[in-house]
């Protein structure tokens, strides 16, 4: 059973026991859309539940496709992907949004993250890395290309005025280590490999970090860590 909540109602979808990440695609390039759809439907554990060439009917499209994760392009006819991200996150906060675009522009990266995106990758990302990014944001992590990760850290430091932390939040040394890796844009599976822990163990630490920092996502955790100099 899967439950999605909007600000206006709750609806329930009954599914079988097979765990699949349901992905909706918003992309106005038909060649790219077909490629994403083929990659998702051809990979175990993923399913494309809808593909849309614009964001103009985003609410109807989200209701129709019932996604866990949205692959979102930025530049589309009519409403752009950043505005659509803001509206989707407001109405359906449990839906994770992964921006996939050709733009490396700092302003667009920052606007996308402020709108509620959980990740930002480039369209030249390999299919394997794209699927990893979808999985990472689905499990509550954050996903960036290495180049984008470096820019994100710089952007937070530039646009969010740092303030000394007046609260240690009682983070353990291990939690601080994992939080530091999150600020570098490292997804949870790679964190697990780097520090030689199981994925579920790392996921448990990340959940604890969220609770202690009073945040609901990796993006919020990173922003708070950089602003309050926790790492």
């Amino acid at each position: 059973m899967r439950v999605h909540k909007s600000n206006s109602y709750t609806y329930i979808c009954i599914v079988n026991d097979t765990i699949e990440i349901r992905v909706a695609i918003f992309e106005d390039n038909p060649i790219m859309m077909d490629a994403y759809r083929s990659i998702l439907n051809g990979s175990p554990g993923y399913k494309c539940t809808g593909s849309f060439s614009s964001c103009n009917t985003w609410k109807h499209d989200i209701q129709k496709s019932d996604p866990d994760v949205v692959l979102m392009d930025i530049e589309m006819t009519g409403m752009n992907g950043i505005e659509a991200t803001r509206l989707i996150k407001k109405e359906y906060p449990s839906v994770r949004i992964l921006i996939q675009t050709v733009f490396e522009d700092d302003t667009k990266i920052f606007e996308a993250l402020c709108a509620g995106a959980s990740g930002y990758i480039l369209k030249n990302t390999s299919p394997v890395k794209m699927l990893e990014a979808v999985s990472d944001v689905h499990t509550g992590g954050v996903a960036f290309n290495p180049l984008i990760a470096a820019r994100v850290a710089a952007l937070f430091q530039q646009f969010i005025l740092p303030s000394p932390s007046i609260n240690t939040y009682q983070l353990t040394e291990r939690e601080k280590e994992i939080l530091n890796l999150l600020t570098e844009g490292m997804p949870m599976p790679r964190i697990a490999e780097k520090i030689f822990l199981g994925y579920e163990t790392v996921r448990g630490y990340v959940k604890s970090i969220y609770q202690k920092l009073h945040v609901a996502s990796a993006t919020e955790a990173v922003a708070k860590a950089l602003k309050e100099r926790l790492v």
Side-chain angles (χ1 to χ4, degrees):
M1 177 181 295
R2 303 173 65 253
V3 180
H4 275 283
K5 294 183 178 180
S6 77
N7 291 340
S8 53
Y9 59 85
T10 299
Y11 61 94
I12 299 175
C13 177
I14 306 296
V15 297
N16 60 30
D17 292 333
T18 302
I19 299 176
E20 288 184 319
I21 302 176
R22 298 169 58 86
V23 183
I25 304 167
F26 288 81
E27 168 65 59
D28 64 354
N29 184 319
I31 296 176
M32 297 300 296
M33 181 187 289
D34 286 344
Y36 298 152
R37 192 162 45 216
S38 297
I39 292 169
L40 290 165
N41 289 335
S43 303
Y46 302 85
K47 181 179 180 181
C48 177
T49 57
S51 50
F52 313 100
S53 59
S54 82
C55 298
N56 296 335
T57 57
W58 66 269
K59 189 169 186 178
H60 171 269
D61 297 337
I62 292 296
Q63 292 175 11
K64 177 182 177 182
S65 57
D66 184 26
D68 301 306
V69 177
V70 168
L71 268 180
M72 179 68 73
D73 190 15
I74 289 182
E75 293 297 331
M76 288 182 282
T77 302
M79 182 183 297
N80 67 45
I82 293 176
E83 180 60 22
T85 294
R86 184 177 294 107
L87 294 172
I88 291 171
K89 290 301 294 184
K90 181 178 180 180
E91 189 74 13
Y92 304 98
S94 65
V95 174
R96 303 288 181 176
I97 300 179
L98 176 62
I99 300 291
Q100 190 163 24
T101 181
V102 298
F103 296 102
E104 300 178 26
D105 180 80
D106 286 352
T107 300
K108 291 186 185 297
I109 295 171
F110 190 71
E111 288 178 351
L113 296 178
C114 289
S118 297
Y120 193 111
I121 61 176
L122 301 177
K123 286 189 176 181
N124 60 6
T125 301
S126 70
V128 170
K129 293 297 184 182
M130 186 195 80
L131 292 174
E132 288 179 354
V134 170
S135 180
D136 290 338
V137 299
H138 175 247
T139 54
V142 62
F144 301 115
N145 292 94
L147 175 62
I148 299 298
R151 291 190 176 190
V152 167
L155 284 168
F156 275 119
Q157 292 169 346
Q158 177 182 351
F159 290 108
I160 301 177
L161 183 63
S163 59
S165 175
I166 59 174
N167 191 334
T168 63
Y169 299 102
Q170 297 183 325
L171 294 173
T172 66
E173 289 304 312
R174 179 66 84 180
E175 287 168 346
K176 290 178 182 178
E177 179 184 19
I178 291 173
L179 180 59
N180 182 60
L181 294 174
L182 285 174
T183 65
E184 296 176 4
M186 190 174 293
M188 285 190 282
R190 260 61 71 202
I191 292 175
E193 293 175 3
K194 183 176 179 64
I195 62 178
F196 306 105
L197 290 178
Y199 171 78
E200 290 300 326
T201 300
V202 170
R203 188 178 180 187
Y205 276 120
V206 171
K207 287 182 177 179
S208 176
I209 291 169
Y210 290 176
Q211 291 174 350
K212 290 181 178 181
L213 297 186
H214 308 293
V215 299
S217 70
T219 304
E220 292 178 20
V222 168
K224 194 163 194 173
L226 292 172
K227 182 178 181 180
E228 300 190 17
R229 299 177 182 174
L230 300 177
V231 295

